[in-house]
Amino acid sequence: MTFDDYQAIARTTAIYPNKGSNLYYPALGLGEVGEIQNNIKKVYLDDNGVLTDSRRADVKKECGDVLWYLSALADECGFTLQEVAQENLNKLLSRKERNQLQGSGDHR
């Protein structure tokens, strides 16, 4: 499955108010990242630092939720996940070529 395939299929499951002109719903849905963080916290607090199969499955499910909301946000903004992925790789490869992977700042 490609990002474009995923986004097209995910779009058919997107039911929320003012779909097509609502940046807020999918952007706020990205709070699902907190669910990933909570699961990772539990790895250390509850599972003695071991990523159990059960916890790994939970993290995977939450990653899927984040991907869905990201896909919906991309739709609302008028771009594709494929474009996002390609631009991100281009940026990272450029930084790698210039030995700028480490450090801070968006425009390095």
Side-chain angles (χ1 to χ4, degrees), residues 39-52 55:
N39 273 286
I40 299 304
K41 176 184 73 176
K42 290 177 182 178
V43 167
Y44 294 97
L45 292 178
D46 301 340
D47 302 332
N48 297 314
V50 176
L51 182 60
T52 64
R55 189 77 61 208

Side-chain angles (χ1 to χ4, degrees), residues 1-14 19 68 71-72 75 80-81:
M1 173 182 297
T2 67
F3 281 126
D4 287 341
D5 293 337
Y6 176 87
Q7 193 168 5
I9 295 166
R11 187 178 300 121
T12 69
T13 68
K19 180 181 163 190
W68 188 93
S71 176
D75 276 341
T80 68
L81 289 177

